[in-house]
Amino acid sequence: MTHSIAGFDFGTSNCAIGIAPQQQVQLLNFPEHGTYMPSTLFAPQSEMICGWLYQQLNAQGKAEAYRQARNQQLASSLRALKELKLDGYDEHLSFGKQALKEYLVDPADCYYVRSPKSFLGASGISQRQQQQFEDIAAAMMWHLAEQVRQSGQAELEKVVIGRPVNFQGLNSELSNQQALNILSNAAKFAGFKQTEFLYEPMAAGLSYQQQLEQEQRVLVIDIGGGTSDVSMLIMGPNYLATREHQDLVLGYNGERIGGNDFDIALNFETLMPALGSRLELEGGQPMPIKPFWDAAAINDFPAQTRFYGADTRNLLQRLLKQAQLSPLKGLLQLHKERQTYQLSAAAEQAKIALSSASSSQVDLSYLLDELQVRVELSAYQQACERLLNNIAMLSDEVIRQAQAQPDVIFLTGGSANSPLIRDFLSQRYQAPLVSGDNFGSVTGGLALWAEHIFA
């Protein structure tokens, strides 16, 4: 059976699409990715993304709105595509795991984006950068919609897209509006005829609600790849269909703290020292910390721009004249080969390993010969203390807004599997902790809400 109404989880770590005819949730299977597509994009050059997307849309007769919006840069992007082909390069985009594979072939000579959702609310981006984020999001949306079509489903027309409570940690409505504008424009370019948004923790709560037999106050803590969102919701059997949605919300809060930030904390506190972050300069002065933080902060667009800039390269080359700072050669190599995403992936694997072991070995020999770093669980726990306390502050504020304690805590999101996070929340709050499908709860709730408002 085909269905043109869907929930679209454009996630920081993964993307997924779900449908819910007759309130029965089904996550769709993408031929090239399975149920979830990692939120990554690879292009041989950034300049060709606009032209590539136009070609795909034009082949389906959907390009007019996009052509009008990109009239100025479209001709040059199409030329870039043509030149790539003449030079013997592939002129296609890749997504998901395939994007990572192609990036790792030559990180210094390509354009690779991981977790583009993390950048959508960034402050200080230019109009051209905002358009580039629209192109990236639209390309990913078009690709997944095409995957759905190839799998035999109907062409998606009406979608509900999940959004965090706050895209940035500054609680800035300007940042939120910027991010929503980018996603709205991208959805329009990708060919969706109608798009609505729903807070992700509320979507997760809707999935949990399906199993309830009586009313409960549920504290939904959704810890995703890029954000942590918390809501206190009144839930009960069939409340989705019989109660006004806004009346079920007793409080909500959110901040840009997610699984990526735990990776960054591990990276900065346990891996960067091997590249010189804690060394002293001549005269006993501390090492400038900014290059190390910028390198680790892969979810911060301005930080990554600074790290790969000439000022950082010149600083590292100047510091390397001091003999005792030779480990900085690894950081300079990271800069030269544009491998911050590769280092972040290594930190993520160490984090996963530490969920079931007391230590993990990280291979950094691609930065410095024979460099291996052992990461201890205790060091990781210490590195994450501030993040855990911030999540607790979000939850405490929502409980204060609701003026009531929760009957149950529903923990979901890709980072909800972490024993570190679960143990912390279990010790802090008295309510029982339950989990659903950590990766699929939001998608399922978005699908249920799409069916409710569009069908």
Side-chain angles (χ1 to χ4, degrees):
M1 179 178 65
T2 61
H3 206 62
S4 62
I5 297 172
F8 196 130
D9 184 8
F10 188 79
T12 303
S13 298
N14 295 284
C15 296
I17 294 176
I19 59 175
Q22 288 81 50
Q23 302 296 299
Q24 299 300 311
V25 172
Q26 174 190 351
L27 268 61
L28 301 182
N29 190 70
F30 307 125
E32 293 181 14
H33 309 286
T35 310
Y36 303 99
M37 183 189 84
S39 300
T40 56
L41 175 146
F42 168 90
Q45 294 179 358
S46 61
E47 294 79 10
M48 54 84 72
I49 297 175
C50 172
W52 180 91
L53 180 58
Y54 171 77
Q55 289 181 340
Q56 313 314 309
L57 295 171
N58 193 46
Q60 297 179 340
K62 301 177 181 178
E64 184 56 26
Y66 185 70
R67 185 192 64 77
Q68 292 182 14
R70 294 294 183 269
N71 190 46
Q72 291 185 346
Q73 58 262 49
L74 185 56
S76 61
S77 183
L78 289 171
R79 281 197 302 272
L81 264 176
K82 185 176 181 180
E83 291 170 0
L84 278 171
K85 187 173 183 178
L86 291 173
D87 291 339
Y89 289 94
D90 289 331
E91 67 274 19
H92 69 275
L93 301 187
S94 296
F95 305 89
K97 293 180 180 178
Q98 184 61 32
L100 177 59
K101 289 180 181 178
E102 297 199 35
Y103 159 73
L104 292 176
V105 171
D106 189 0
D109 189 25
C110 69
Y111 184 79
Y112 175 76
V113 180
R114 176 187 174 194
S115 306
K117 186 178 178 182
S118 298
F119 305 133
L120 301 187
S123 302
I125 65 173
S126 66
Q127 182 182 11
R128 179 67 195 101
Q129 289 170 328
Q130 181 168 329
Q131 290 177 340
Q132 189 170 31
F133 290 144
E134 289 176 358
D135 292 349
I136 291 167
M140 294 173 67
M141 290 179 182
W142 179 88
H143 171 74
L144 286 176
E146 181 67 8
Q147 288 280 293
V148 171
R149 190 185 66 81
Q150 290 178 10
S151 69
Q153 286 289 329
E155 186 166 326
L156 297 183
E157 296 182 347
K158 300 177 181 180
V159 297
V160 172
I161 298 176
R163 58 154 292 185
V165 175
N166 286 309
F167 284 86
Q168 297 288 86
L170 302 177
N171 197 26
S172 167
E173 190 52 39
L174 187 63
S175 292
N176 288 336
Q177 194 56 55
Q178 173 183 286
L180 291 177
N181 286 342
I182 291 172
L183 289 173
S184 296
N185 288 337
K188 179 180 67 175
F189 296 150
F192 301 136
K193 295 181 179 179
Q194 197 168 347
T195 302
E196 298 291 340
F197 293 94
L198 180 66
Y199 288 127
E200 289 162 348
M202 297 178 191
L206 292 176
S207 290
Y208 174 65
Q209 180 176 275
Q210 296 294 98
Q211 59 187 278
L212 293 182
E213 297 180 356
Q214 61 185 18
E215 181 176 289
Q216 287 186 332
R217 289 188 303 271
V218 182
L219 186 68
V220 180
I221 303 179
D222 178 9
I223 306 175
T227 57
S228 289
D229 290 314
V230 184
S231 295
M232 183 81 84
L233 306 177
I234 298 175
M235 296 184 185
N238 208 35
Y239 275 22
L240 173 64
T242 60
R243 299 280 295 272
E244 289 295 325
H245 185 231
Q246 60 269 23
D247 294 341
L248 303 178
V249 182
L250 301 180
Y252 62 86
N253 203 351
E255 192 171 335
R256 204 177 84 166
I257 304 169
N260 287 346
D261 295 282
F262 286 85
D263 300 342
I264 290 167
L266 185 151
N267 189 346
F268 182 73
E269 296 291 347
T270 68
L271 302 185
M272 288 300 173
L275 302 179
S277 66
R278 294 177 183 166
L279 296 176
E280 289 187 352
L281 308 182
E282 291 177 353
Q285 294 176 308
M287 172 69 69
I289 212 66
K290 197 70 171 176
F292 298 93
W293 177 255
D294 287 347
I298 52 93
N299 63 351
D300 186 331
F301 182 72
Q304 290 288 285
T305 301
R306 281 194 305 270
F307 178 71
Y308 286 123
D311 287 347
T312 297
R313 181 186 67 242
N314 293 339
L315 172 64
L316 296 177
Q317 289 174 339
R318 188 166 64 250
L319 291 174
L320 273 168
K321 294 178 181 178
Q322 301 180 34
Q324 79 277 17
L325 303 184
S326 60
L328 287 177
K329 293 178 182 177
L331 193 64
L332 187 61
Q333 177 73 1
L334 189 73
H335 175 286
K336 177 182 177 183
E337 297 298 327
R338 304 185 71 87
Q339 291 176 305
T340 52
Y341 284 114
Q342 188 170 344
L343 183 60
S344 177
E348 181 183 21
Q349 290 305 309
K351 177 189 72 175
I352 294 170
L354 291 172
S355 66
S356 58
S358 60
S359 66
S360 176
Q361 188 90 348
V362 180
D363 179 10
L364 298 183
S365 59
Y366 57 91
L367 298 177
L368 285 173
D369 288 345
E370 300 182 0
L371 178 59
Q372 304 286 326
V373 179
R374 179 165 293 279
V375 179
E376 301 294 336
L377 176 60
S378 58
Y380 172 54
Q381 291 170 332
Q382 185 174 353
C384 295
E385 186 175 342
R386 178 185 61 83
L387 297 173
L388 293 170
N389 287 331
N390 285 347
I391 292 172
M393 289 173 61
L394 292 177
S395 303
D396 291 346
E397 169 59 20
V398 171
I399 292 171
R400 187 197 65 76
Q401 290 177 21
Q403 298 183 347
Q405 292 295 319
D407 297 316
V408 65
I409 295 174
F410 179 62
L411 182 61
T412 188
S415 297
N417 286 321
S418 168
L420 180 70
I421 294 174
R422 294 184 65 86
D423 291 348
F424 175 82
L425 294 174
S426 294
Q427 292 172 17
R428 186 176 181 91
Y429 299 104
Q430 299 302 311
L433 194 68
V434 299
S435 298
D437 180 347
N438 290 331
F439 290 101
S441 294
V442 169
T443 312
L446 295 173
L448 288 167
W449 191 244
E451 191 70 18
H452 180 63
I453 65 173
F454 289 138

